[in-house]
C-alpha cells in the first residue's frame, strides 16, 4: 500500500469513526445496501406484480373500450350504479368517459391499495419485525445511528414506491393514454405509497411486535377505504378525511386537481417525521402500547397443542372478526344502492332480457366473494403459524414433549379452519344484517350466511396449498400467498383483465356459485373439499418424513 | 447395566456437510453423561436426532430401548429436554409456558414447580418476550426438572446462567442423579462436567473421539511434571512420550509425559537426584483442548533443554 492510499484510508476510517459516534444516521448507506440485499426477491416481485397486473389491465380496457359508443355505454352503467362507486371510487369523468377514466374506475383504487400494502409491509419488515428478533440489537450495537434503521427503511421503500409509480405511469403512457392524466395517477400512486411508508413507520413505533404493527397499518388502510366509500355514496366531505380519497381526488383524466397532492405530501411528511420522533423516545424492542404482566400459573385449559394454537391465534381471530364484521355490515348497508341501476330504462331492459339477477343480488354476491377473499388472508396467515412455530424454535420444544407431528400440525389446521368458519359466518351475518337494516326486511340474512359459508371449501384449498408446501419445507410455505394473491386478482379483476377462462378456473373461488345471484351448486364444493383433503394429506405425509427445525 | 441411549455408526448429512459422520455413543441408565465438543461438532444435531426431530441417513439410534423417529410420542413422555437455544412464545408468561409443557406430559406437580421457580429465582408473571437468555433458560430448566422424566437431555443448559444459578443447577442435577435418573449433559463449562458427570464423550467433526470416565480419559493422555534436580537432566527429550520440555529461570524443568510412559520417565529423572517434584493430572480442559486442536499430532516439535 502506498503512503498516500494509507493516509486516505486512515482519513476515511477516522471520519467514519467520528461520524458513527455522534451522527444519528451513521451507517445509513450500509443498512440501505443490506435491506436491498434482503429484499432481492421480494422487492422485484412486488413491483413487477403491481406494475404488470396494472399494465395488463390498461391494455385490456383499451382493447375493450375502443369506440365512443362502448365508452358511453360503460359510463352510463357505471355512473348509475351507486353500489359500485363504494367499491371502485367516485368515477370522475365517467359522464363523458375517456379510456383513462375507465381505467381509473376499473383498476385505480385496487392499485392504490396494493401499493399502500407494499409500502406498509416492507417498512414494518425492516423495522419492527427486525426488533422482534435479536438481530436489531446486534445491528444497533454496531456503530449505527439511532435513526439510521428507520431512515434506511423509509428511503428504500420510498425508492421502490417511486419505481412502482413510474412503472404504473409508463404502463398508462404505453397504451397512448393522455400524458397529464397518466402523470396525475402516477403522482397519486406515489403519494399514497408515501403516506403508508409513514404509517408503517409510526405503526412500528407504537406496536409491540411486527405482527401487530402490520395489523395496525392494515386496520388504518381498512378505515381509509370505508371512509372514502362513505364519501363516494353519501356525504361527500367524508371522502376528504381519507388519504385514499385524496389520491382519487387528484382526478386523473378528469380535470386534474394537482393541489390535492399537497395533502398527500403533507400527511406523509408529518407521518415520517412523527415516526422518527417516536423512535427517539422509545427503547429498542419496546412499543408505546405497554406489555402487561401475565399470569404466574397457566390456565388448566391450556393443556394441549390445540389449546395453545387457539391461544396463540386468539388475537388474530378477534382482530379479523372486527375487520370483516365492520366491512360486511357496511357492504350490506349500501347493497340496495345497486338497484338505482334499474332507474335507467335501457339497462333495466337489458337485464331483464339477459335473464340476469337483480343488480343488488349481483352486488351482494360480489361482496360475499370480497369477504371470503379477506378471510382467506386470515386462513393462510393462520396456517403459516406452523412455519413461525418451527422457525422460531417453538416446534422443537413442543415436539420434544409427548406430541406427535400430526397433533401439532392438526391443531393449527383446526384452529385455522374454525377461525375461517367463524369469519365467514360473521361476514355473511353482518352483510345480511346491514342489508336488512337498510331495506327493513331480514329475509335475506340466512341466505347470505349460507352464501358466505359456501366459500369455506376454497379457503380450505388455499390452506391446503400452504400446508402441503409447509410439509415439504418450512421455507416454502409463504408461497401460499401467491395462491391468495392470484385468487384476489381473479376475483376482483378477471373481467377488467379479460383473463381466459382456464386461468380463472385456477382460482378455487371461481367454482363457487355466486350466491345469491346464482343458485347453490353443491358438486363443485364437494370437489373443492376433496382437493383440500388431498393437499392436507400430502402435507401430513410430507411433514412426517422431513427434519424439523 | 442397561443402556439409556445408544447410537451406532450414525450418519446425518445436510447437503454436502456431514454433521454426524459415523457417530457412536452409549449412555448407561442412571449415569450423568457429559457430551463435549467444539462449536459445530454435531452436539445439537445428535440431540435432535435423539429426539426424533431429525432422521439419520444411516446407522441406528435407540432411546430408552426404542426408535426415537418411530416412537417419538411415547418416548417423549419419559424424556425431558432443555434446548440450547430456548425460544418461548413471546406473549405468554413464563408460568403459563411451564404449566403448558407440564400438562402436555400429564399433570402439573405444583409443589415441585413452585419450589424450582423459587430456587431459580424466576418471575413467572413476566411475558417471555421480556425475559433475558438466562431467564428463558430457567423456564426450560424448571419445566424439565419439575417433570418425572427418567431421562433428561440438556443442551448447554447453563450457558446463560449466572454463577449462583449455575450452582443451583448443579445441585438439582445431583438430586436427579441420586434418584437414579439418567442425564445427558452437553456443555462447555468443563468445571460443571467435571463435577457432575460420571462419564464423558468428546465429539469432533461428527465422530466420537474419546469416551469413558474422566479417569480413563486422563490415563490415555499426559501428566504435567515440574521437577528440580541436583544435576541437569540430560537428553530428556529423547525419551519416548516426553513432550514440551523446557527449563525456567529458576532451574525447574517442566515437561508433559504420556501416562503410559510415566513410570519410565520418572525412573530416568530420579537418576539425576530429584530435589522436588510436582505432578499434575491433566485437567479436563487440557484433555479437551488436545482433542479440539485441529493440528494435534503425536510428534510435536519440542524445544531442547
Amino acid at each position: 500500500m502506498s503512503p498516500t492510499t494509507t493516509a486516505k484510508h486512515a482519513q476515511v476510517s477516522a471520519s467514519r469513526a467520528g461520524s458513527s459516534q455522534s451522527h444519528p444516521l451513521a451507517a445509513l448507506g450500509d443498512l440501505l445496501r443490506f435491506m436491498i440485499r434482503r429484499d432481492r426477491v421480494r422487492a422485484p416481485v412486488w413491483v413487477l406484480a403491481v406494475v404488470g397486473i396494472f399494465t395488463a389491465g390498461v391494455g385490456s380496457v383499451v382493447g375493450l373500450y375502443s369506440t365512443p359508443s362502448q365508452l358511453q355505454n360503460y359510463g352510463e352503467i357505471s355512473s348509475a350504479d351507486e353500489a359500485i362507486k363504494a367499491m371502485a371510487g367516485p368515477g370522475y369523468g365517467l359522464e363523458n368517459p375517456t379510456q383513462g377514466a375507465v381505467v381509473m374506475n376499473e383498476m385505480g383504487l385496487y392499485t392504490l391499495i396494493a401499493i399502500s400494502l407494499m409500502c406498509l409491509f416492507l417498512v414494518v419488515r425492516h423495522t419492527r419485525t427486525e426488533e422482534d428478533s435479536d438481530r436489531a440489537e446486534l445491528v444497533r450495537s454496531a456503530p449505527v445511528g439511532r435513526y439510521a434503521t428507520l431512515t434506511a427503511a423509509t428511503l428504500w421503500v420510498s425508492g421502490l414506491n417511486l419505481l412502482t409509480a413510474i412503472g404504473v405511469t409508463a404502463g398508462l403512457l404505453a397504451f397512448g393514454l393522455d400524458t397529464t392524466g397518466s402523470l396525475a395517477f402516477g403522482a397519486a400512486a406515489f403519494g399514497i405509497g408515501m403516506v403508508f411508508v409513514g404509517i408503517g413507520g409510526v405503526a412500528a413505533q407504537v406496536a409491540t411486535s411486527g405482527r401487530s404493527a402490520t395489523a395496525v397499518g392494515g386496520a388504518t388502510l381498512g378505515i381509509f377505504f370505508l371512509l372514502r366509500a362513505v364519501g363516494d355514496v353519501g356525504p361527500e366531505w367524508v371522502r376528504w378525511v381519507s388519504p385514499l380519497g385524496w389520491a382519487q381526488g387528484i382526478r386523473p383524466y378528469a380535470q386534474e386537481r394537482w393541489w390535492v397532492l399537497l395533502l398527500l405530501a403533507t400527511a406523509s411528511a408529518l407521518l415520517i417525521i412523527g415516526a422518527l420522533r417516536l423512535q427517539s423516545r422509545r427503547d429498542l424492542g419496546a412499543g408505546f402500547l405497554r406489555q402487561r404482566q401475565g399470569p404466574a400459573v397457566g390456565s388448566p385449559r391450556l393443556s394441549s397443542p390445540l389449546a395453545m394454537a387457539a391461544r396463540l391465534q386468539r388475537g388474530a381471530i378477534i382482530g379479523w372478526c372486527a375487520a370483516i364484521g365492520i366491512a360486511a355490515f357496511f357492504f350490506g348497508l349500501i347493497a340496495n344502492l345497486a338497484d338505482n341501476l334499474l332507474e335507467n330504462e335501457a339497462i333495466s331492459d337489458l337485464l331483464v332480457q339477459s335473464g340476469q339477477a337483480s343488480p343488488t343480488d349481483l352486488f351482494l354476491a360480489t361482496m360475499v366473494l370480497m369477504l371470503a377473499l379477506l378471510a382467506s388472508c386470515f386462513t393462510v396467515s393462520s396456517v403459516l403459524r406452523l412455519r413461525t412455530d418451527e422457525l422460531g424454535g417453538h416446534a422443537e420444544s413442543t415436539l420434544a414433549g409427548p406430541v406427535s407431528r400430526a397433533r401439532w400440525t392438526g391443531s393449527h389446521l383446526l384452529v385455522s379452519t374454525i377461525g375461517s368458519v367463524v369469519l365467514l359466518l360473521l361476514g355473511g351475518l353482518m352483510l345480511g344484517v346491514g342489508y336488512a337494516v337498510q331495506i327493513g326486511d331480514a329475509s335475506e340474512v340466512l341466505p347470505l350466511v349460507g352464501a358466505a359459508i359456501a366459500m369455506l371449501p376454497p379457503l380450505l384449498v388455499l390452506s391446503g396449498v400452504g400446508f402441503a408446501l409447509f410439509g415439504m419445507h418450512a421455507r416454502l410455505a409463504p408461497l401460499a400467498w401467491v395462491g391468495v394473491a392470484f385468487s384476489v386478482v381473479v376475483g376482483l379483476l378477471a373481467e377488467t383483465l379479460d383473463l381466459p377462462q382456464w386461468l380463472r378456473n385456477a382460482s378455487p373461488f371461481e367454482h363457487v356459485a355466486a350466491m345469491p345471484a346464482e343458485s347453490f351448486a353443491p358438486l363443485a364444493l364437494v370437489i373443492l373439499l376433496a382437493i383440500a383433503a388431498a393437499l392436507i394429506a400430502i402435507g401430513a405425509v410430507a411433514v412426517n418424513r422431513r427434519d424439523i427445525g | 447395566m442397561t443402556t439409556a441411549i445408544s447410537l451406532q455408526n450414525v450418519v446425518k448429512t445436510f447437503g454436502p456437510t456431514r454433521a454426524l459422520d459415523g457417530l457412536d455413543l452409549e449412555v448407561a441408565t442412571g449415569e450423568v453423561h457429559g457430551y463435549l465438543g467444539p462449536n459445530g461438532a454435531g452436539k445439537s444435531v445428535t440431540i435432535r436426532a435423539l429426539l426424533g426431530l431429525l432422521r439419520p441417513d444411516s446407522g441406528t439410534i435407540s432411546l430408552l430401548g426404542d426408535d426415537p423417529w418411530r416412537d417419538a410420542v411415547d418416548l417423549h413422555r419419559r424424556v425431558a429436554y432443555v434446548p440450547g437455544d430456548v425460544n418461548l412464545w413471546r406473549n405468554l408468561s413464563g408460568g403459563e409456558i411451564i404449566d403448558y409443557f407440564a400438562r402436555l406430559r400429564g399433570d402439573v406437580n405444583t409443589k415441585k414447580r413452585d419450589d424450582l421457580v423459587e430456587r431459580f429465582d424466576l418471575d413467572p408473571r413476566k411475558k417471555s418476550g421480556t425475559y433475558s437468555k438466562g431467564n428463558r433458560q430457567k423456564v426450560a430448566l424448571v419445566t424439565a426438572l419439575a417433570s418425572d422424566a427418567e431421562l433428561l437431555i440438556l443442551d448447554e443448559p447453563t450457558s446463560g446462567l449466572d454463577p449462583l444459578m449455575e450452582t443451583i443447577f448443579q445441585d438439582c442435577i445431583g438430586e436427579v442423579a441420586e434418584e437414579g435418573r439418567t442425564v445427558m449433559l452437553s456443555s462447555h463449562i468443563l468445571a460443571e462436567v467435571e463435577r457432575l458427570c460420571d462419564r464423558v464423550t468428546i465429539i469432533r467433526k461428527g465422530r466420537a473421539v474419546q469416551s469413558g470416565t474422566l479417569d480413563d480419559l486422563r490415563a490415555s493422555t499426559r501428566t504435567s511434571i515440574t521437577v528440580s534436580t541436583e544435576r541437569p537432566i540430560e537428553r530428556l527429550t529423547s525419551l519416548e512420550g516426553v513432550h514440551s520440555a523446557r527449563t525456567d529461570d529458576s532451574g525447574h524443568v517442566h515437561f508433559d509425559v504420556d501416562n503410559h510412559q510415566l513410570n519410565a520417565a520418572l525412573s530416568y529423572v530420579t537418576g539425576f537426584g530429584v530435589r522436588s517434584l510436582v505432578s499434575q493430572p491433566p485437567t479436563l480442559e487440557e484433555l479437551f483442548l488436545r482433542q479440539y486442536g485441529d493440528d494435534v499430532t503425536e510428534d510435536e516439535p519440542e524445544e531442547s533443554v
Side-chain angles (χ1 to χ4, degrees), chain A residues 134 137 293-296, chain B residues 86 88-90 92-98 117 121-140:
Chain A
D134 298 334
E137 217 170 292
Q293 284 212 321
Chain B
V86 182
L88 305 170
W89 294 277
R90 296 172 57 88
L92 266 64
S93 71
E96 280 182 293
I97 293 170
I98 291 170
V117 165
D121 193 24
L122 177 73
D123 179 357
R125 299 184 63 89
K126 275 191 167 177
K127 295 277 177 85
S128 79
T130 65
Y131 279 142
S132 65
K133 175 176 164 64
N135 277 327
R136 292 202 303 271
Q137 243 160 359
K138 287 180 190 174
V139 170

Side-chain angles (χ1 to χ4, degrees), chain A residues 294-295 298 392 396 399 547-548, chain B residues 12 48 76 81 87 93 99 125:
Chain A
E396 182 178 328
L399 294 174
D547 297 340
I548 296 284
Chain B
K12 175 71 192 177
R48 288 197 174 137
H76 291 174
Y81 168 52
N87 288 294
S93 71
D99 285 359
R125 299 184 63 89

Side-chain angles (χ1 to χ4, degrees), chain B residues 185-204:
Chain B
L185 172 66
S186 141
S187 177
H188 279 303
I189 300 171
L190 301 170
E192 171 183 288
V193 174
E194 229 164 346
R195 189 176 148 200
L196 292 174
C197 295
D198 308 311
R199 291 203 312 135
V200 167
T201 296
I202 299 179
I203 170 180
R204 182 157 171 257

Side-chain angles (χ1 to χ4, degrees), chain B residues 40-58:
Chain B
K43 298 189 297 294
S44 295
V45 174
T46 312
I47 288 175
R48 288 197 174 137
L50 272 174
L51 289 166
L53 295 170
L54 305 181
R55 171 141 72 171
D57 300 341
S58 66

Side-chain angles (χ1 to χ4, degrees), chain A residues 20 23-35 38 125-127 129-153 279 284:
Chain A
S20 57
H23 202 281
L25 291 179
L28 180 66
D30 295 318
L31 289 179
L32 202 54
R33 270 193 297 280
F34 187 62
M35 286 176 188
R38 279 192 67 210
R125 162 178 156 87
H126 287 295
T127 53
T129 308
E130 279 299 281
E131 285 182 41
D132 291 349
S133 72
D134 298 334
R135 295 189 294 265
E137 217 170 292
L138 263 180
V139 170
R140 278 282 286 275
S141 70
V144 166
R146 181 184 299 279
Y147 300 117
T149 307
L150 182 56
T151 310
Q279 165 98 65
L284 189 73

Side-chain angles (χ1 to χ4, degrees), chain A residues 47 162 176 196 230 334 353 360 369 455 466 523:
Chain A
V47 175
L162 182 63
F196 273 88
V230 171
I334 61 171
Q353 275 165 23
T360 298
L369 175 64
M455 288 291 178
L523 179 65

Side-chain angles (χ1 to χ4, degrees), chain B residues 169-182:
Chain B
F169 166 76
Q170 292 183 7
D171 294 346
C172 290
I173 295 301
E175 290 159 25
V176 167
E178 267 170 41
E179 293 164 19
R181 299 200 264 162
T182 313

